[in-house]
Structures are given as C-alpha cells and as structure tokens.
Amino acid sequence: MPLQSILPQLFINGLIAGSVYALAACGFALVYYVVKFQYFSQGAILTIGAYIFFLFLNLMGLNYILAAILSIIISILAALTTNWLVYRPLRKRKAGGVPLLVASIVILIFSSSLMQALFGSSTKTLLLSNQNKVFTFGFLTITLFQIAIIILAFILFFLLFYILMRTRLGKAMRALADNKDVAQIVGINPEKIYNYTFIISAVLGGISGILIGLEQNLYPRMGVLIIIKGFISSVIGGLGSVPGAIVGGLFIGLVENIGIWFLPSSYKDVISFSIMLLFLLFRPQGILGVRMRDDN
Amino acid sequence: MLSLKNVSKSFGGVKAVERCSFEVEECTITSLIGPNGAGKTTVFNITSGLTKPDSGTIKLLGKNITGMPAYKIAQSGISRTFQITKVFKNLTIRDNLLIAKRTNDTEMNRVLESVYLNKPLDTIASELSYGQQRLLELARALSMPHNLLLLDEPTAGVNPQIRQELKSILRNLRKEGKTILLIEHDMDFVMDISNTVIVLNEGRVLKTGKPKEIVKDKKVLEAYLGK
Amino acid sequence: MITDFFISFSTYVIIYIIIVSSFNISFGFTGLVNLGHMVFFGIGAYTSAILTLHGMPWYFALILAGLFTSLIGAAIAAITVRLKGDYFQIVTLGLVFIAIAISRNWISLTRGALGLPGIPPIIKDNFNYMLFTFLVCVICLAFFYWLTKSETGKIFQAIRDDETAASILGKNTYFYKVLSITISTFFAGIAGSLFVHFIKFVDPSIFDLDFFVIILTMLVAGGLASITGSIIGVVSLAITSEALRFVVVNPELIGPVRHMSLMLILILILIYRPRGILGKVNV
C-alpha cells in the first residue's frame, strides 16, 4: 500500500498513542513543575490503577464505572502514601535531586515486582462490551474505544488547564512552582499544595492506567515502559511544562507511528529516544521553549 | 596586565555589562565597586571564562583570552575566588590545595599561615566555619600559579579581626609583586588598600581614579545614593 | 552441594564487587549519576559472548570486551557529560531502553529475544573459575584504590564537589568527566565478560532496570566514594538476599520478594542514612 493511503491511518494511530503518552506525561510534568523532581513513580501509579481496575472488573465482577472510581481512589491513596513515606522525609532532610530521582525509579520498579508477586507475571486482558466496535471510513479504521480515549484525554487536558489557570489551587501551585520562598511568605503551605498535586497527578495516572490496560494489555512492567515515553514527551515538550508534556506526547505518538512505516516497529523506542537526544543537545528548552532550571 | 575593551553581555534582554572598558596595572590593587546589579560579578565571570561575552575583547599580558574555556584562562594565569565560597567541601584542606598546585605539606602550611588559617591539613573542608572556608578558598587561589588574582568580596561574612588580617595579606601580596583586582562593598577597606578604584554602574564604567578622587566625585555619589 | 552453592555465590559476589566499585568511580567519586551503568555491563557481556562464540580465545575476548565497552562509554560520555545534571541522568537512563531495543532487534548478531546460549566458559571447573575471578577482582580493586588516591582521583572528587571551582583552577573538567566514564565503563565491560562466561547465556534481560536497582542498592548501602564501602555493600546485601531464600516459602515469590526487600533497604538508606555504611558523601 502506498504511503499516501495509509498515512491517515498512521496519523490516527499516532493520535491515539500520543493521547495516552500525553496523559502519562502530564502527571509527570505536573509534579516536576510544582514539587521539582523527576516523578518516575507516576508509572507505578499507572500500573496500580490498571491492575486494581482489573481486580474489581474481571476478578470481582463489579460494574466498570464503579471499578474505575475505586481504582482511581486507590491510585490516589498510593500516590499520597509514597509522598508521606518517601518523598516528604527526603524533602525534610533537604535531599537533592538525585535521591528523589533514585527513590522514584525504585518505587517504579517496586510496583512491577509487587504486581508480579500479587497477580503473577503473565499478561492480563481487560475487555468491555462494545469496546472493539469498529468504525471504517475508506482505508481508515478506528474502534469506539479509541475514539473514547482521544475524547477523554482532551477533556482531562482541558480540566487540568482549568484547575491550573482558573482556580485558587492552581494559582497556589503556580506560585509554588515559581518561587517556593515567596509562596510561603504569602501564606501558601507547600506540603498541602504538594498533596493536592500528587492527588491530581494520581487521578490522571489512574485513568491513563485504565485506558492503557484496555487498549493494550496488563503486564507488571507496563508502568516502566509507559512512563519512559511520558518522560521523553515531557523533555521534548519542555521539561517542567504541563502544556509542553501534552504537545510532546502527541508529537512522540505521531512520529513513532509514522516512523514505523520506515523502520521495524520494535525500533519505536529508539526513534523517540533519538529525538529526545537531539532536543537535549540542540534545543534543551523543548518545543514550547520553557527555560531550563539554572543550576548556578 | 589585564585589559577589557568594549565588553558587553546581556542575559535574556537584560544588559548586565555594556561596552565596559578598563585596564589593570601590574603590581597594584584595583577595586571594582558599584551598587548591587552594576555587573561586577559578571565582569569577573567574563574575565575568568565562566561566562562568554557577547562582544568585546579581553587581554591578559597582551594575549587575547576572549572566549577561551575557563580552565585555559586559569592556566594562562588568572586565579580567583567567589562571592559564595566554592571549596571542595568533601575534600581535606590538603586535597583542596593539591587541586590548585602539586606541592608538599611544608609549602601548604606556609600558604595557610599566610592567610591566618591554622588548621591541620587533614581537616575536611565542610568541618570549617564559613569564615575559615573563605580563607581556605583564598589560600587555594594563592597556591595556583597566577599573574592576576581576582577576589570577589573577600571581606563578606568574615569577622572584623580577619578583615584587618586580609588587609595585611593583600598588602604583602602587592609587595611580592602580585596584581589584584577585587570586588568590595566595604568602602573603608577599599579606600584603605586600593591604588585604583573603578566604579561600575548599570554595566558601564562610571569613573576610574585614585581612591581620593573617587570619594569626591559627584556622579559616583549619585549612583550610590540615587538622584 | 553446599560447596557448589558456596562457589557460585562467591563468584557472583566477586563479579558484583567489580561492577559496583566501577560504578562508584563515576557516581561516587565524580558525581556523574550514570543511570545506564548496567548497559555497559551488558555490552561487555554481549561482546565477550559473541567473540568467543566466533572462536576467539577468552583472554582476547575479555580484554576486548573491556576496551570496546569503554570505547562506547567514551563516545557516549563525549556527547552527554556537557549536559547539565538533570539531563545527563535522563539520557543515561534512556540508554537502557536503546540497549534493550537494539539487542532485541539486531537478530543476526544477538539472536534477539532468544538470547545467546552455549557461551564457552573460561575455566571449566567452577572452583578454579572462582579463583580466577578473585584474581581479576584483586587487580581491579588495586587499581581503584590507586586511582582514587591519585591526583586524577582527587580531581574527579573536586569536580563532584564543585565543577566550576575545578575549572577555574585550570582543570579541563570535560576531559576528566569523559575519562571517569571511560574508566568506569571499562571495568563494567570486564565484569560483564566474567559474568557471561559464568552463566554461559545472555539475552536482552541483562539490561533490565531490575538488575540495575540491585547494583544501585549495593553501591548506596556501602557508601559513595568509598571502594571499601562498595565491597562491604555487595557482601552484606548478597548475604541478606540469599538469607531471604529461607524465609520465603513459595518458590515463585522468591524473586519478587528478594527484589522488593532490597528496594525497601535502598529507600530506607536514602532517607535515614544517606552515607550508607562507609560513604564519604551523601547520596
């Protein structure tokens, strides 16, 4: 098939993958923006969200809306627990970026071992009724569920912007991100806002975990693979920028899916990583031109 | 010894240094003064190669050093200290001095004595008080072979006794034939020891002259006190 | 049976000591948080495996594994050490996923996910092989102790504490950072080679982050910037990890439980004892 006729399909596939990456990336970016560390354990939250959904839906036979709500609640609890048990004590001892980064990678890997211990290492499949209902437009095919992913992702992006730009909480988050000392002087309690930040990113993480679980499959390492894409998206869009993470996620989704027309599909990771390296070397502030943190 | 010609540098549209030119004579103490934000530290960073200037030339002993990497400028003979001390905090005093110059314990103790820092060479730098860390940094800057010494606010954060000692340290260095350029806020200190004073304001050289001429100058007064 | 277990356990410990202390050179001594350090272990393992499978004698393969790995390390370092702290960590973490993708896809060389079986051993008898790895390890450690006491070692530490200060004292910090990575990846390659001739098999899972987290725990537990610390870190955690075998009843759970225990230890050290057992600097 010539490229022109398959291009719309690749574009749609890219948009689906991109929406998922962007969802994973914006939780990561939100924490990086407000709390100032590389929040890889967003991948753990994603994994937990997906597996808890699987537990309630498939193993306990709950209604899918109830299962989703419960799994988002548990994702929130998981994120708050990691903050209370690990990140807050590290901030208290004034640890630099490296221990926080190491801790977040460890929590990420921990979640995959935990899921392996609890649910076994085999791949699990989630399925909703109507999920695979296919729409065909000429060469183009897309499932009902994939349309739902794209729409839901954009609703969530809109809500996130609304919270950040229009609410008191969002203002406090931006103030804290801009200058912690000044924010404290005007009466903002950082720990309280950090908790809200973890809650919001956990909601995004739980939902993206469920969506990824439905679209692909469940396996213990899913969080590791997705959050790496989320974080590459975040770097490409502009590290520390929430809109940047979304733009970066969509960009990576599109490039990977159009790129596999030219390269074997298993080189997806190499494509996105190489693009990230090019950005780091030649445009470290990312697509949206966010100024990078100055270490001087 | 050192000459800056039309050096300019801006950070994201803000002009930190603008067409700045001055010279530092051999065997003198020259002070760079000016209100906060006048661009003094930027001049130091440009001279020592930590910041690349947008335009202009910097010459050391007639040799153009503009845009050279910091380590090469250091090797060409510029040694410096920082406003906020940059000692190697996990290393011992001995190792801090060793990075500046390969030498023996006797020599090291002599340098420490000359800056009135009486501590065993095996002391870890982070165990020193802030004032002592500043002295260690000075000792390290002195140990490195150099023609020109740049000192960024040597009296900041040190007690009055060390401040007096610093004066005699700097005078002794001048006697030994060293050339020193320093940034300083303590006017008594500056007027007391400098041969030449350069006043910077908003990134430009406002006035150059002997200490006596500077204290009388109206423009300098205005820059400090506002119009 | 008991002796077999003891010999293989000791061989692993010896190889881990080489890899952990080589990691300490870049991370602990130079402050370069190379999150892809185990990628170089894997490169060494693959290099040695492929060369010996094509009939090269082991001693050439061992040395070439070190040299080739450090060549790749130097090339990557030359590009990446200029990046600021955060970005260096990001790129080196990315190496892990690049390595996995390449080893899975370059089928003609690596047989992809199937891996390379039947790698010839250096010495057939396990006890003698343990002695051989011990000898190599002693040579490596002697070099590490010498290096960290040498002027170059002091410059590495100066760069870790304050890179700007090192550069205004006339040190070409770029060169020394590349050198540090080159040296540390050379020994990672040697360790990879020793490892692969012991287990006689290699597949892309050698690059997994799980393995890296174990090595990282041993390094941090022993303490940064202390070679003796690294030795103690490896030995104590290897014993802890083996002891768990007797606590966990279900054989399927041994792997994940061991792994999770090590990770908990790492988190506790990060919070409560950032210098580990013998460390000279905080994590």
Side-chain angles (χ1 to χ4, degrees), chain A residues 38-46 82 87 104-105 107-108 227:
Chain A
Q38 297 179 39
Y39 186 50
F40 281 102
S41 59
Q42 175 74 350
I45 304 302
L46 252 140
T82 55
Y87 299 130
S104 84
I105 292 176
I107 294 172
L108 174 65
I227 200 59

Side-chain angles (χ1 to χ4, degrees), chain A residues 32 38 40 85-86 89-90 93 96 98-99 101-103 105-110 112-114 116-117 221 224-225 228 231 235 239 264 266-267 269-270 273-274 276-277 280-281 284-285 292-296, chain C residues 27 33 35 79-80 83-87 89-95 97-98 100-102 105-106 164 208-210 212-213 216 220 252-253 256-257 259-261 263-264 266-267 269-272 274 282-283:
Chain A
Y32 189 90
Q38 297 179 39
F40 281 102
L85 291 182
V86 182
L90 282 174
R93 85 152 170 91
V98 173
L101 166 68
V102 168
I105 292 176
V106 169
I107 294 172
L108 174 65
I109 309 292
F110 189 91
S112 87
S113 293
L114 186 64
Q116 195 189 334
R221 309 181 62 81
V224 181
L225 299 180
I228 287 301
F231 127 88
V235 172
L239 202 51
S266 43
Y267 273 107
D269 288 347
V270 180
F273 179 82
S274 314
M276 180 183 83
L277 189 60
L280 282 177
L281 292 173
Q285 69 271 40
M292 56 191 224
R293 244 175 27 187
D294 206 342
D295 293 337
N296 292 328
Chain C
F27 189 161
V33 186
L35 296 176
I79 301 169
T80 57
L83 300 169
K84 286 196 169 187
D86 270 17
Y87 293 107
Q89 296 151 19
I90 291 169
V91 174
T92 51
L93 182 63
L95 293 179
F97 300 92
I98 294 284
I100 292 174
I102 293 176
N105 291 292
W106 197 346
T164 307
D208 277 355
L209 277 176
D210 308 52
F212 170 69
V213 168
L216 187 64
V220 173
E252 248 183 66
L253 288 182
V257 168
H259 214 152
M260 285 192 282
S261 320
M263 287 188 262
L264 282 178
L266 178 52
I267 296 276
I269 295 171
L270 287 176
I271 298 173
Y272 299 107
N282 283 351
V283 178

